Amino acid sequence: MEDLFLPTLHTFENDNIFTGSWGSLRFKITPNIVKKTPKEVDMEASSMHAELWHGIFCYERSDMEAEETFPLSAEGREALYHWLKEHA
């Protein structure tokens, strides 16, 4: 099985939601973006909210098994990656 994929922080900085899967694990990551200026993201105040579930159904038809919020940073992305793998 291929390794778990997470997009770069730039994806989340642009306020993009990401849904993915790894084996039977399904997850959704929603950024919470705070702007310093109209064009600049306040990385220290921004975060990523992750929700996960297992099974064959989509987000809307599933019960969430766990959720966690991580800082929008390289360290936060790394912690998110490990959190998802622990729940696989």
Side-chain angles (χ1 to χ4, degrees), residues 59-76:
Y59 177 82
E60 292 80 9
R61 300 211 179 249
S62 299
D63 293 323
M64 295 303 106
E65 297 171 19
E67 62 182 285
E68 187 78 34
T69 300
F70 300 89
L72 188 61
S73 65
E75 295 81 11

Side-chain angles (χ1 to χ4, degrees), residues 5 9 27 35 40 48 61 69 72 75 87:
F5 171 79
L9 289 178
F27 56 92
K35 297 279 194 166
E40 185 181 2
M48 301 173 286
R61 300 211 179 249
T69 300
L72 188 61
E75 295 81 11
H87 285 87

Side-chain angles (χ1 to χ4, degrees), residues 4-55:
L4 174 69
F5 171 79
L6 287 179
T8 63
L9 289 178
H10 186 68
T11 299
F12 299 115
E13 286 177 54
N14 286 306
D15 216 11
N16 292 309
I17 293 171
F18 180 77
T19 57
S21 63
W22 193 55
S24 66
L25 174 69
R26 309 286 183 257
F27 56 92
K28 178 179 179 181
I29 305 167
T30 306
N32 176 25
I33 301 300
V34 176
K35 297 279 194 166
K36 280 185 183 178
T37 68
K39 292 185 177 185
E40 185 181 2
V41 173
D42 184 343
M43 296 295 281
E44 291 182 12
S46 297
S47 61
M48 301 173 286
H49 183 76
E51 300 169 278
L52 64 81
W53 68 100
H54 290 84

Side-chain angles (χ1 to χ4, degrees), residues 2 37 56:
E2 290 185 31
T37 68
I56 60 171

